[in-house]
Amino acid sequence: MDIDILDLIDDEDDDNQEEMTAQKVLQIVERAWLNEKFSPEILPHQTDYVDCLLEQIKGMEDNLAKLSKTDPKVDLHKLEMERIKFVITSYLRTRLKKIEYFCVSVLEEESNRLEADAYLSPAELKFAKEFAQNADNHFDTILRHMPQLYNKLDMNKKVIKPNLNSFVFLKCYKHIDSVIIQNTLESQEEEIVLEDGSQHLMPYSSVAEFVKKGAVQLI
Amino acid sequence: MYCDKVIELLKELERSREDTIPPYNNDGINQVLSEMKTLDTEILDILHKNPRDNLPMDAVRLRRAAIERNKRCLMTYIWTRLQRLKEMRWEIGAILPSDVRQNLSQSEIEWFNNYCKSLVSYMKTIGPDTGLNLTQDTKPPKSLYTEVRSLVDAGKLELESGEVLILRKNSQYMLSRSQAEPLIRQGILEQVRH
């Protein structure tokens, strides 16, 4: 069942003259969601698109409220909206879980990035900092009772880092000339070509930059 | 043996179910802490009593390793508890049942309150106006409505359409998923499986 709910929005937005259709935004968010779900590390945030989609949903809710309740189309549209909402919440939840789990390493990497290419949205960054502070405060209630030499937590010991070498399934959207795969066992490097539309299984670290550019999709 | 007590603490956690939190074992923690202190004084003693060029380094190393291990395990203990507490925030919500609350230490309650605060203020920033509740819509929707059975006499429930429904024990209703979900989580309703 594929309902073209987005027709509804597109009519609405004609006067806005947006260059991007709602369909396109939804596609971007869905791709971001899948990438986030399967990638071991946190990816650059897509807050603009998420906000845009949420605004569309709000507009649609208002539109639907105007329609008569007996119209069978209303329920179908509502269901489609619920689906979009699920994608958004699941996407943001996945990010939040990663932020919590890899809190220290995420914050550390984030502090090395410029504001323009930050991976976390400002709200996420605030959450991450509060989370780290909060955990530290709690740890400290125990740590301060320990003997003097030992009452600090070693930064390196509390860091949980994502395993960037874990394997991921991916699909290519563009032709990529060279992807380098590190063979850790024999400490060799292998270079391969990814064809447009092909699917592969390989370590995440080899394709990380292409995932962030949107050239490949994790599946 | 060194570190026995802390292992006992961790085992206690492991034996309990994943979705529960056993009582905060203050005594156990204090015993581990005092063991660490004893070990520390022992190390100092050894360093003082022996001549500088002939220190029994193995004895020092052993005790130091024991302290580090104690510390690491204690941190694991409280970290694991935090993880479970965090799960509860997502499952149950900001208000903990009193039987869970009893099992927490003062600092854990503080942590939980702070966590709720950051989470809520984060969720408020999402989207155009009032924010988005991320604890809803946790499962992909299959249908708009879901059949539920009321487990208690919960009284009046105002539907999204404005109608008022009276929830009686053991009666079944068709509710919209978004409305039923929080009530199911609170244990007022039960999903009817087919």
Side-chain angles (χ1 to χ4, degrees):
Chain A
M1 183 169 58
D2 196 29
I3 316 143
D4 208 8
I5 190 157
L6 301 152
D7 281 351
L8 243 170
I9 319 166
D10 284 348
D11 299 342
E12 277 286 299
D13 272 38
D14 273 349
D15 35 47
N16 275 357
Q17 289 298 321
E18 279 201 331
E19 281 176 39
M20 207 172 256
T21 61
Q23 185 85 56
K24 182 83 184 149
V25 177
L26 178 61
Q27 195 190 28
I28 292 175
V29 173
E30 273 179 351
R31 283 185 181 174
W33 168 55
L34 287 176
N35 276 342
E36 196 68 64
K37 210 167 168 174
F38 296 115
S39 113
E41 68 167 343
I42 193 148
L43 297 172
H45 71 94
Q46 307 286 351
T47 314
D48 293 347
Y49 295 113
V50 170
D51 283 352
C52 171
L53 208 53
L54 282 170
E55 230 154 287
Q56 301 281 18
I57 288 181
K58 201 171 162 281
M60 283 163 61
E61 269 171 354
D62 295 345
N63 280 351
L64 284 177
K66 285 180 210 146
L67 290 175
S68 109
K69 277 197 187 103
T70 47
D71 194 343
K73 259 168 40 187
V74 173
D75 274 358
L76 295 181
H77 282 315
K78 268 192 186 161
L79 184 56
E80 187 63 17
M81 249 162 45
E82 294 276 309
R83 289 195 181 123
I84 301 176
K85 264 196 203 160
F86 166 73
V87 170
I88 297 176
T89 53
S90 171
Y91 171 64
L92 295 174
R93 260 198 306 273
T94 315
R95 290 181 63 82
L96 218 51
K97 291 272 143 84
K98 281 188 194 168
I99 292 174
E100 286 172 358
Y101 197 66
F102 304 124
C103 194
V104 179
S105 64
V106 165
L107 277 175
E108 198 183 303
E109 280 170 29
E110 194 66 14
S111 64
N112 294 331
R113 289 190 192 107
L114 293 172
E115 207 172 315
D117 36 46
Y119 279 18
L120 305 185
S121 73
E124 282 171 337
L125 186 64
K126 179 168 164 271
F127 177 82
K129 281 183 178 155
E130 282 172 7
F131 186 82
Q133 185 59 47
N134 197 8
D136 277 348
N137 285 349
H138 180 57
F139 287 153
D140 203 49
T141 55
I142 297 285
L143 282 170
R144 66 164 170 251
H145 296 295
M146 294 186 179
Q148 216 180 10
L149 269 176
Y150 308 93
N151 62 3
K152 292 272 174 322
L153 260 193
D154 192 351
M155 270 298 270
N156 290 325
K157 279 191 187 151
K158 66 173 177 177
V159 173
I160 305 176
K161 283 202 177 114
N163 176 11
L164 296 182
N165 287 322
S166 60
F167 279 74
V168 288
F169 277 104
L170 58 99
K171 182 176 176 146
C172 280
Y173 286 135
K174 283 181 196 143
H175 181 90
I176 300 169
D177 278 332
S178 103
V179 170
I180 294 175
I181 299 176
Q182 302 267 2
N183 189 337
T184 39
L185 274 183
E186 295 156 37
S187 61
Q188 284 169 346
E189 284 182 357
E190 202 182 327
E191 194 176 341
I192 57 160
V193 179
L194 300 186
E195 302 283 342
D196 186 6
S198 60
Q199 298 190 7
H200 305 267
L201 171 68
M202 61 171 75
Y204 173 77
S205 53
S206 306
V207 289
E209 55 169 319
F210 301 111
V211 172
K212 286 165 197 169
K213 279 187 207 151
V216 302
Q217 167 79 55
L218 301 184
I219 49 176
Chain B
M1 274 286 284
Y2 299 138
C3 303
D4 274 351
K5 290 196 184 85
V6 82
I7 298 298
E8 200 48 50
L9 273 183
L10 291 182
K11 276 190 184 155
E12 186 184 296
L13 257 192
E14 201 178 283
R15 280 190 211 110
S16 64
R17 276 179 45 179
E18 289 260 327
D19 54 351
T20 60
I21 299 184
Y24 186 76
N25 194 336
N26 217 348
D27 283 350
I29 289 175
N30 281 336
Q31 280 173 13
V32 177
L33 285 173
S34 74
E35 185 185 289
M36 289 174 76
K37 267 174 208 139
T38 322
L39 284 165
D40 191 47
T41 16
E42 278 175 23
I43 292 178
L44 290 179
D45 267 1
I46 296 172
L47 292 181
H48 283 306
K49 279 178 190 154
N50 291 287
R52 222 156 231 295
D53 48 352
N54 190 20
L55 285 175
M57 279 318 283
D58 290 341
V60 175
R61 278 198 202 103
L62 173 72
R63 286 175 177 76
R64 197 163 273 173
I67 295 182
E68 288 291 349
R69 186 174 170 80
N70 269 330
K71 173 176 163 187
R72 172 133 207 164
C73 294
L74 264 191
M75 291 339 261
T76 311
Y77 179 75
I78 57 177
W79 169 252
T80 313
R81 288 176 61 90
L82 285 195
Q83 297 305 310
R84 291 199 186 169
L85 200 53
K86 204 174 71 185
E87 277 310 305
M88 288 194 171
R89 171 62 183 85
W90 289 84
E91 285 299 319
I92 304 174
I95 297 156
L96 289 175
S98 60
D99 56 328
V100 175
R101 245 184 133 73
Q102 272 172 9
N103 289 347
L104 302 180
S105 77
Q106 190 55 41
S107 162
E108 278 172 331
I109 291 178
E110 250 165 59
W111 180 87
F112 185 78
N113 291 339
N114 285 333
Y115 180 67
C116 291
K117 248 187 254 162
S118 341
L119 192 63
V120 168
S121 65
Y122 169 66
M123 292 198 293
K124 269 191 192 148
T125 61
I126 311 169
D129 39 28
T130 50
L132 185 67
N133 185 355
L134 293 183
T135 56
Q136 271 194 357
D137 301 307
T138 49
K139 296 215 174 67
K142 287 219 175 68
S143 64
L144 263 187
Y145 298 97
T146 178
E147 201 172 351
V148 289
R149 184 181 298 134
S150 183
L151 297 174
V152 285
D153 282 312
K156 281 183 189 168
L157 176 72
E158 196 176 330
L159 299 182
E160 280 149 4
S161 58
E163 293 161 59
V164 173
L165 189 72
I166 294 175
L167 295 177
R168 287 204 186 82
K169 196 174 174 180
N170 295 332
S171 345
Q172 281 177 215
Y173 308 92
M174 280 294 264
L175 286 182
S176 71
R177 240 177 26 87
S178 56
Q179 195 152 33
E181 212 175 349
L183 294 172
I184 293 173
R185 215 168 280 153
Q186 285 166 32
I188 295 173
L189 298 178
E190 172 189 59
Q191 190 147 23
V192 180
R193 291 179 203 287
H194 295 286

